[in-house]
Amino acid sequence: MKNYVQPGNSITLTAPYAVASGDGLLVGSIFGIAAGAAALGEPVETALVGVFDITKVGSQAWTVGAKVYWDDTNKRCTTVATDNTLIGVAVEAVASGAGDTIGRVRLNAAF
């Protein structure tokens, strides 16, 4: 196909803020996981699909299949939809302890 560009599992985005490898980032409606470190305004290869362990709100229990949203203000995942962007679903249950700050998410790559 002469109009084919790339598979689309990852793309290069301009970092909207400084990110480290494995950090979530939101550019407009596109959410992904940084494959490497980048300063604000630098290009960063970004994974759009897959299952990732991502920082979440502590003291918030997750159930398998729960919708997961990105809180771009606090740079972490939550199950609270208000003012946040849907990014995928939880694929493992997570307890509600204050120290339970990592959740496993399957990205939806809808945008």
Side-chain angles (χ1 to χ4, degrees):
M1 296 172 285
K2 64 182 179 179
N3 58 342
Y4 179 82
V5 177
Q6 67 184 55
N9 293 334
S10 66
I11 58 174
T12 301
L13 295 173
T14 300
Y17 34 77
V19 293
S21 178
D23 284 353
L25 64 141
L26 184 66
V27 177
S29 295
I30 304 171
F31 178 84
I33 303 296
L40 168 68
E42 289 185 343
V44 60
E45 189 67 16
T46 307
L48 304 177
V49 297
V51 178
F52 296 89
D53 289 339
I54 309 175
T55 302
K56 66 174 270 303
V57 175
S59 303
Q60 185 181 76
W62 288 10
T63 57
V64 174
K67 290 182 180 178
V68 176
Y69 300 84
W70 179 250
D71 174 354
D72 201 47
T73 300
N74 295 299
K75 311 296 184 264
R76 61 187 181 186
C77 293
T78 180
T79 54
V80 176
T82 305
D83 297 325
N84 297 313
T85 302
L86 180 64
I87 64 166
V89 295
V91 296
E92 282 188 357
V94 182
S96 61
D100 296 315
T101 58
I102 300 294
R104 187 158 289 171
V105 180
R106 181 184 58 83
L107 299 183
N108 68 5
F111 302 104

